[in-house]
Amino acid sequence: MKSLHDLDTEYHFKTYKRYPVTLERGSGSRVWDVNGKEYIDALAGIAVNNVGHCHPGVVKAIQEQTGLLMHTSNFFTTEPQVDLAKKLVEISNHDRVFFCNSGTEAIEGALKLAKRYANKTGKKGNIISMSGAFHGRTLGALAMGQQKYQDGFEPMLPGFEQVPFNDIKALEKAMNDDTVAVFVEPIQGEGGVHVADKDFMTELSSLCMEYKALLIFDEIQCGVGRTGSFFAYEQFEVVPDVVTLAKGLGGGFPIGAILATEKAADVIEYGKHGTTFGGNPIACRAGLATIDAIFKEGMLRQAEENGSWLRDRIRMEMPGEPGITEVRGLGLMVGVQLDFAGAGVALRMLEKGVIANVTATNAVRLVPPLNISKDELDTVVDAMMQAIQEERKHQTEEKE
């Protein structure tokens, strides 16, 4: 009999280089494969399971809602959608919310908002993004991203340009009265877990106000409590015109959202944007339960304290491991920079019962559930250090 892994290889598009593991169930910071092997999940579905796998409150909310109402279309109002929109406005600095189904949909919606803003204000310039950015895999998002994701999908959509991340002078040179909008990730996840400089964000906000360009924060990976505040922008003491959310917002259930100030949201009138499934009752109940768990269970404090502890714990190991050159991040979004290609490190960690991944070729990315314990994080670090040592030795021997 063929394994699930073999059947997946036979029938699914060849779009993923999957780990040789088939997962069956999860609880908290742990998952189990079909053979019963247990893993600590330090990746959390790529920053999705912020409240842990199958959080009881999220599961209960989804179960209750599926027995009441699953889908209506947006011709109708539903209580879960209204409640979640109200909650997000109350905990943010924004006035309106649009719901969708994923991060890249939120980005495309924000791009449409920016284009509409340009048309209504007469701006003819570009939308600016940052080098090293990742905003998704649809065409608008690709136009703001890295070359490696654009290859094979040319020509890219016009009207976009990039400036180096954290480079104030380059930003000042690029912006003018015709600049439409600037998209920025407060922490670049796929780019290697690089944190924006606070001075850069302050100047970016000032320039957007000066040139009346929209400031749009992509918090799809770094939002929903991951940095130790619910929104990452709170860490930088600036308020963007627009924020995109997804990943962790549904506690594992697909949902995306665009938050905007009244000024920004006002450009999208009746009929200018829409969605069939976005804001469906199940997703919104999941979102409400996720937010409730984050605040009631003190997960913001846990993310801040455990994230700081985790980075310090890894730095303590650095003198004995020359393969690590830097540890960076905010809250429980941590990047461990290696001086060699790191794909093998993630596989070795997996063998040791820890799930992580390597992004930007040589940065180990750790984005565990916000409520992961210090004991579990200790195990993660031990497994990672062993994997780094083994893989570095292996690559050195191969070169000899």
Side-chain angles (χ1 to χ4, degrees):
M1 181 181 292
K2 292 183 178 180
S3 70
L4 288 171
H5 195 274
D6 291 337
L7 289 170
D8 174 75
T9 301
E10 183 176 347
Y11 293 113
H12 198 278
F13 271 42
K14 300 175 182 179
T15 50
Y16 304 114
K17 191 174 182 180
R18 301 192 198 268
Y19 292 142
V21 170
T22 300
L23 297 178
E24 186 174 57
R25 64 188 178 92
S27 178
S29 298
R30 297 174 185 259
V31 292
W32 289 262
D33 67 20
V34 291
N35 298 314
K37 182 175 178 179
E38 181 179 323
Y39 304 83
I40 295 175
D41 188 0
L43 188 60
I46 315 179
V48 169
N49 299 106
N50 287 15
V51 296
H53 289 273
C54 298
H55 185 283
V58 177
V59 171
K60 182 181 179 183
I62 291 171
Q63 289 174 334
E64 289 179 351
Q65 189 59 49
T66 54
L68 290 173
L69 185 67
M70 294 174 65
H71 178 73
T72 64
S73 89
N74 281 298
F75 287 136
F76 301 93
T77 304
T78 66
E79 185 176 359
Q81 187 181 121
V82 171
D83 287 348
L84 183 56
K86 181 174 181 287
K87 173 61 71 174
L88 287 169
V89 167
E90 287 173 347
I91 64 175
S92 72
N93 296 88
H94 298 84
D95 304 301
R96 294 192 179 273
V97 183
F98 178 88
F99 291 113
C100 51
N101 306 286
S102 67
T104 200
E105 282 184 56
I107 290 295
E108 293 293 337
L111 280 170
K112 281 185 70 177
L113 189 154
K115 288 285 190 181
R116 184 66 178 153
Y117 175 76
N119 286 331
K120 294 197 79 169
T121 58
K123 286 176 173 283
K124 305 295 184 183
N126 289 334
I127 293 172
I128 295 174
S129 64
M130 306 295 152
S131 61
F134 181 85
H135 296 288
R137 295 178 183 271
T138 47
L139 289 175
L142 277 182
M144 299 191 292
Q146 301 169 50
Q147 183 66 47
K148 66 180 180 179
Y149 296 112
Q150 297 175 353
D151 289 344
F153 298 98
E154 300 86 355
M156 286 292 104
L157 296 175
F160 297 90
E161 65 177 304
Q162 282 199 338
V163 300
F165 188 51
N166 278 332
D167 189 330
I168 292 176
K169 289 185 178 180
L171 188 65
E172 291 173 337
K173 184 177 180 180
M175 292 189 70
N176 55 54
D177 287 327
D178 253 354
T179 300
V180 175
V182 180
F183 278 73
V184 63
E185 299 160 276
I187 307 175
Q188 292 187 335
E190 293 296 324
V193 192
H194 291 278
V195 183
D197 295 335
K198 194 168 183 179
D199 288 346
F200 176 77
M201 296 296 248
T202 300
E203 182 63 18
L204 170 59
S205 178
S206 296
L207 287 168
C208 283
M209 286 189 281
E210 178 183 350
Y211 292 120
K212 294 182 174 57
L214 293 179
L215 177 56
I216 301 175
F217 273 24
D218 178 348
E219 295 201 13
I220 289 162
Q221 189 167 152
C222 64
V224 194
R226 183 143 298 278
T227 63
S229 54
F230 192 86
F231 297 98
Y233 71 75
E234 297 173 78
Q235 299 285 333
F236 300 91
E237 298 178 0
V238 299
V239 177
D241 299 293
V242 179
V243 179
T244 59
L245 298 175
K247 287 191 179 285
L249 183 57
F253 199 92
I255 186 172
I258 306 167
L259 281 67
T261 61
E262 193 70 55
K263 178 192 76 171
D266 193 51
V267 303
I268 298 291
E269 310 101 326
Y270 169 74
K272 294 301 181 183
H273 195 47
T275 172
T276 297
F277 293 108
N280 70 80
I282 303 173
C284 290
R285 279 293 299 276
L288 284 162
T290 298
I291 295 171
D292 187 64
I294 287 173
F295 283 100
K296 286 187 177 178
E297 296 175 26
M299 293 189 201
L300 298 181
R301 176 186 53 79
Q302 291 178 67
E304 181 179 10
E305 292 179 358
N306 287 350
S308 178
W309 180 90
L310 175 60
R311 292 190 297 278
D312 288 344
R313 168 78 166 79
I314 299 169
R315 289 179 182 126
M316 285 174 58
E317 302 283 348
M318 285 179 65
E321 180 43 67
I324 299 176
T325 61
E326 186 183 11
V327 180
R328 52 185 178 258
L330 274 177
L332 277 172
M333 187 168 182
V334 176
V336 181
Q337 187 69 47
L338 307 176
D339 67 357
F340 60 94
V345 172
L347 287 172
R348 291 178 187 274
M349 291 177 70
L350 191 68
E351 292 170 0
K352 300 176 192 302
V354 172
I355 298 174
N357 86 320
V358 171
T359 186
T361 305
N362 55 0
V364 180
R365 173 170 49 181
L366 302 174
V367 283
L370 307 184
N371 51 3
I372 191 171
S373 70
K374 281 192 172 71
D375 285 345
E376 289 170 323
L377 288 174
D378 228 8
T379 301
V380 169
V381 175
D382 287 343
M384 181 181 69
M385 299 309 297
Q386 292 170 17
I388 289 171
Q389 291 166 7
E390 292 169 5
E391 181 64 18
R392 193 166 187 271
K393 180 181 178 183
H394 170 72
Q395 291 190 21
T396 300
E397 290 173 348
E398 277 200 329
K399 292 177 183 178
E400 294 176 352

